[in-house]
Amino acid sequence: MANGQVRRRIWPRAVLVLLAIGGIALWWRHPVLNAYATTAAGFGARTACACHYQGGRPLDDCTRDFEPGMGLVFLSGDEEARSVTASVPFYASQTVTFTPPFGCVPERWQAPG
């Protein structure tokens, strides 16, 4: 067999093995990742709500107040409801509503399922 044929056979198998290892690692670390994502979404929503509705800054500017490592937290706002939703894709989301005189109040958290 030529050297090129061996490489063509090994390459797809190596990719499948790496994908399987990555999937197992994600499955094993899922509870930890979910906890971090839930915390990050809650912190991001509360921080962005205070920044936008109490501080008067644009919502896009509020990500500057995030802690390092919160690059996966995405914000969306609902001006009519005066709420901000922060989400970490595929893991968690949290909505916080600005309610005077109480300030930014998070929605009640519900366990999945």
Side-chain angles (χ1 to χ4, degrees):
M1 234 190 271
N3 195 18
Q5 289 177 337
V6 171
R7 284 187 187 154
R8 279 186 243 142
R9 285 186 183 176
I10 292 174
W11 180 247
R13 291 179 185 159
V15 169
L16 287 175
V17 168
L18 289 175
L19 286 174
I21 290 171
I24 290 170
L26 279 176
W27 172 77
W28 181 58
R29 298 297 291 175
H30 175 73
V32 173
L33 293 174
N34 192 36
Y36 282 132
T38 302
T39 302
F43 178 81
R46 172 63 179 84
T47 301
C49 176
C51 164
H52 183 62
Y53 291 109
Q54 292 174 317
R57 292 169 40 202
L59 193 58
D60 294 339
D61 188 47
C62 294
T63 57
R64 291 188 310 148
D65 296 341
F66 285 0
E67 295 293 322
M70 291 183 61
L72 290 178
V73 177
F74 296 97
L75 299 174
S76 62
D78 183 352
E79 295 298 324
E80 190 173 307
R82 298 184 78 172
S83 66
V84 174
T85 300
S87 61
V88 177
F90 306 112
Y91 278 102
S93 147
Q94 177 69 48
T95 301
V96 175
T97 304
F98 180 66
T99 311
F102 304 110
C104 294
V105 179
E107 283 185 352
R108 185 174 176 160
W109 183 79
Q110 295 179 0

